[in-house]
Amino acid sequence: MTAALQSDYPPEGGWTTDDLDALPEDGRRRELLDGVLLTSPSPTRTHQTIAMRLGVALEAECPEEYDVTQGVEVRMSKTRSFIPDVLVTTSAAAAREPSRYEPHEVVLAIEVVSPSTRSIDRVLKPALYAQAGIPYYWRVETEDGALEVITYRIDAVNEIYTETGRWTKFVDTGEPFPINLPISRITPRSR
């Protein structure tokens, strides 16, 4: 494993979740896409503030059967692993105090779009989260300083998400639990 990190080449056959487990705990955000290691730059203050505020707001509304957390890995297969910015899981799964979840334990995956992850958050991750069976996906858009939350529900037959709303003032949905969230509550302060 160490040799693979010190080389320009991936391990033979591509990266696996076993390889991820062998990497040092150095604070880097590493994800896997079909054996390709993806390393993201550090998120911005705005990104982290939105994720933090959204997590706190969801936690305040969250019923007992669910749990809200941030930045915990979801392993979809031996060669595919992503880290949603915010996620809602079952309480039973959270009780294990996991460092990673299986897709069936995740109820809602949320990504806050950054300039460096636009295509991944808008196209790739929703397609793969839906394929993995995660029931709900939210995308938080931050362009031009205005926030928009786009909510989706899975069409399990076709393994794709169907848009259920675009929210610029309030997120007012009953899925995965009743939520009435003012967008101002998750908007970072201006500096």
Side-chain angles (χ1 to χ4, degrees), residues 147-149 151 164-173 183:
L147 295 188
E148 180 179 38
V149 177
T151 57
T164 58
R166 288 181 174 258
W167 314 93
T168 57
K169 302 287 184 209
F170 288 88
V171 177
D172 188 7
T173 181
I183 296 294

Side-chain angles (χ1 to χ4, degrees), residues 37-58:
L37 184 66
L38 306 174
T39 305
S40 300
S42 293
T44 65
R45 171 202 156 274
T46 298
H47 179 282
Q48 292 301 84
T49 300
I50 293 166
M52 175 188 66
R53 289 181 176 201
L54 182 55
V56 168
L58 289 174

